[in-house]
């Protein structure tokens, strides 16, 4: 059985200092999705190395945020990726650090795992308009995944409520 864990780490360095490595050793997920990584790729790779705070030699793919110290998503895995994708939706908005797809071959077939971080919005502001654009792009991409008949898990910090 394949296990997937997802964590909004609110800064991977802080999570490592607070015992995330011990939690990972106990939980032993096959695939780990992170949101709000807030660190450069090199720093994440160092933390996720065999002698790093997150332990093990993970296969890592991440998308840093375009704004330093903000957002950022990652997928760490004990099994290799077969393909990755990082962009969704229209080019006029910045999705950097907010959407990452990783494909894996599993016994059940090809699996796409998405780690996403949907930014918060404030009603009546440009931030909310951008959030709605991002959610529309997500909806379209998820429909494509369903139409393609593949297995998919979309996980992350969605920052949405029912009203």
């Amino acid at each position: 059985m394949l296990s997937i864990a997802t964590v909004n780490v609110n800064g991977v360095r802080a999570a490592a200092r607070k015992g995330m490595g011990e939690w990972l050793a106990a939980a032993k997920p096959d695939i780990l999705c992170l949101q709000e990584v807030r660190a450069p790729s090199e720093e994440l790779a160092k933390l996720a190395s065999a002698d790093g705070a997150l332990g093990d030699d993970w296969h890592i793919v991440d998308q840093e945020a375009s704004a330093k110290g903000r957002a950022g998503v990652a997928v760490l895995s004990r099994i290799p990726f077969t393909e990755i994708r990082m962009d969704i939706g229209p080019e006029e908005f910045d999705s950097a650090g907010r959407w990452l797809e990783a494909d894996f071959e599993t016994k059940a077939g090809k699996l796409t795992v998405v780690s996403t971080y949907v930014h918060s919005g404030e009603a009546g502001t440009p931030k909310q308009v951008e959030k709605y654009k991002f959610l529309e792009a997500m909806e379209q991409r998820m429909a494509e995944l369903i139409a393609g008949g593949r297995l998919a898990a979309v996980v992350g910090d969605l920052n949405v409520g029912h009203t």
Side-chain angles (χ1 to χ4, degrees):
M1 179 160 63
L2 185 73
S3 63
I4 301 172
T6 183
V7 182
N8 180 320
V9 292
N10 197 16
V12 71
R13 291 171 285 221
R17 283 191 307 272
K18 294 177 181 178
M20 187 170 179
E22 291 82 13
W23 175 80
L24 284 170
K28 294 182 176 34
D30 298 304
I31 298 171
L32 173 64
C33 297
L34 303 177
Q35 301 84 42
E36 288 197 87
V37 173
R38 297 182 179 179
S41 299
E42 303 78 35
E43 184 72 18
L44 178 61
K46 192 165 81 174
L47 289 169
S49 67
D51 58 349
L54 302 183
D56 290 336
D57 275 320
W58 295 90
H59 298 277
I60 305 168
V61 63
D62 72 310
Q63 187 185 50
E64 289 183 49
S66 54
K68 187 177 179 178
R70 308 287 295 175
V73 291
V75 176
L76 288 70
S77 175
R78 299 181 194 283
I79 56 178
F81 311 107
T82 58
E83 191 175 339
I84 58 169
R85 290 169 299 285
M86 296 187 188
D87 295 316
I88 65 166
E91 292 182 21
E92 72 263 11
F93 73 88
D94 178 13
S95 64
R98 299 192 182 280
W99 184 268
L100 176 60
E101 297 181 24
D103 293 342
F104 302 91
E105 287 299 328
T106 72
K107 291 178 183 176
K110 188 176 190 176
L111 169 67
T112 297
V113 175
V114 178
S115 181
T116 187
Y117 173 64
V118 179
H119 57 291
S120 59
E122 299 171 26
T125 68
K127 257 183 109 171
Q128 189 68 23
V129 172
E130 288 302 307
K131 180 175 182 168
Y132 284 141
K133 283 183 188 177
F134 189 82
L135 290 171
E136 288 171 11
M138 278 183 65
E139 184 177 17
Q140 182 177 349
R141 180 60 185 138
M142 288 189 297
E144 292 168 2
L145 289 169
I146 292 168
R150 67 173 63 179
L151 301 170
V154 179
V155 299
D157 184 349
L158 302 180
N159 275 311
V160 295
H162 70 287
T163 59

